[in-house]
Amino acid sequence: AETLSLNDEQLELTPRPEQPRWQAELMKNAGENATDDDALRGVGDAVSQGLAVSYNALQQSGGLTEANAELVTSNMAESLKLEPVFTSFTTQNIVINPDISYSTMLTYRSQMRIALEPLLQNKNNEFEIYAQYIDTKNKKYLTQLSDASRNYRKAIDATLLVAVPSDAQLPHLRAINAMLQFATVLDDITAHASDPLASVVLVRTYTSAETEMYTSFNELAHYYASKKNI
């Protein structure tokens, strides 16, 4: 995600355009105890079979060109979905302050600014970092993605320690879980960077997670603004 400003006037972020939703469930061939790796292997098998059928049909019809082959692969990726595997935080994981006064909000906002400071260490857009890896295959960019993920997790740990006004529980938890989802996606992209099929699916997962990040921080900013009128 782009660098977040922690200043009150600049905290509200413009949501990214809605990303395409995927229709097929990735885990349908995995067992109840399936891991993220199991899911990726499952999608690899499914994509390989689907591509083989499509390519064979094109070849028999005489329409197998490089452009058509790329289109088939793109369309196949459009139909895939991979939800990052992580355990969401709940109200049991946060400290709730029953005081919902304006002064309490000011204290909460100040503490949140401090808690989110690790995100300021992420100087570059994570997608651009990944694009540089794809272009160069230099693993230093994967290290940068891992560092970015680590900063999100540091922010999460700090945010969990902030006392939350009871009327801010929902936006607070949404922001924490959005950061966790995004960090998980970054870890998955890093771990499977050498797998082109998994990478296609995970990049699409990235866009959805990034959108949720921006939406959740907007919701938190709206909470701050709403308290000013009380």
Side-chain angles (χ1 to χ4, degrees), residues 57-176:
L58 285 173
Q59 190 172 38
Q60 290 183 355
S61 66
L64 183 57
T65 65
E66 182 176 351
N68 286 341
E70 291 180 357
L71 180 60
V72 168
T73 302
S74 176
N75 289 340
M76 183 68 69
E78 288 278 1
S79 68
L80 299 174
K81 179 180 181 179
L82 175 63
E83 296 295 340
V85 179
F86 63 95
T87 301
S88 298
F89 292 104
T90 69
T91 54
Q92 296 182 351
N93 302 117
I94 61 176
V95 180
I96 300 175
N97 184 351
D99 188 342
I100 60 172
S101 65
Y102 179 72
S103 61
T104 298
M105 182 278 290
L106 291 178
T107 300
Y108 167 65
R109 183 182 64 184
S110 178
Q111 292 176 345
M112 282 294 287
R113 286 175 177 169
I114 296 172
L116 295 173
E117 283 181 354
L119 301 187
L120 299 178
Q121 301 301 315
N122 294 346
K123 304 297 185 182
N124 299 315
N125 179 280
E126 292 85 358
F127 190 82
E128 292 177 0
I129 295 174
Y130 181 64
Q132 288 177 307
Y133 167 76
I134 294 298
D135 186 46
T136 66
K137 302 303 180 184
N138 190 326
K139 291 187 177 181
K140 75 175 184 180
Y141 296 113
L142 298 183
T143 299
Q144 291 180 17
L145 286 179
S146 295
D147 291 341
S149 172
R150 192 175 301 109
N151 287 331
Y152 279 103
R153 294 182 187 277
K154 287 180 180 178
I156 291 168
D157 290 341
T159 303
L160 287 171
L161 299 177
V162 174
V164 185
S166 59
D167 60 346
Q169 293 179 60
L170 293 182
H172 185 85
L173 283 171
R174 184 174 185 180
I176 292 177

Side-chain angles (χ1 to χ4, degrees), residues 165-221:
S166 59
D167 60 346
Q169 293 179 60
L170 293 182
H172 185 85
L173 283 171
R174 184 174 185 180
I176 292 177
N177 286 319
M179 287 190 289
L180 179 57
Q181 180 186 31
F182 195 70
T184 302
V185 171
L186 292 180
D187 290 340
D188 288 342
I189 289 177
T190 302
H192 301 282
S194 62
D195 184 336
L197 294 178
S199 294
V200 169
V201 178
L202 286 168
V203 165
R204 295 186 178 281
T205 306
Y206 172 99
T207 60
S208 178
E210 185 184 48
T211 297
E212 174 61 14
M213 275 276 296
Y214 276 82
T215 302
S216 69
F217 276 96
N218 269 338
E219 186 175 341
L220 199 55

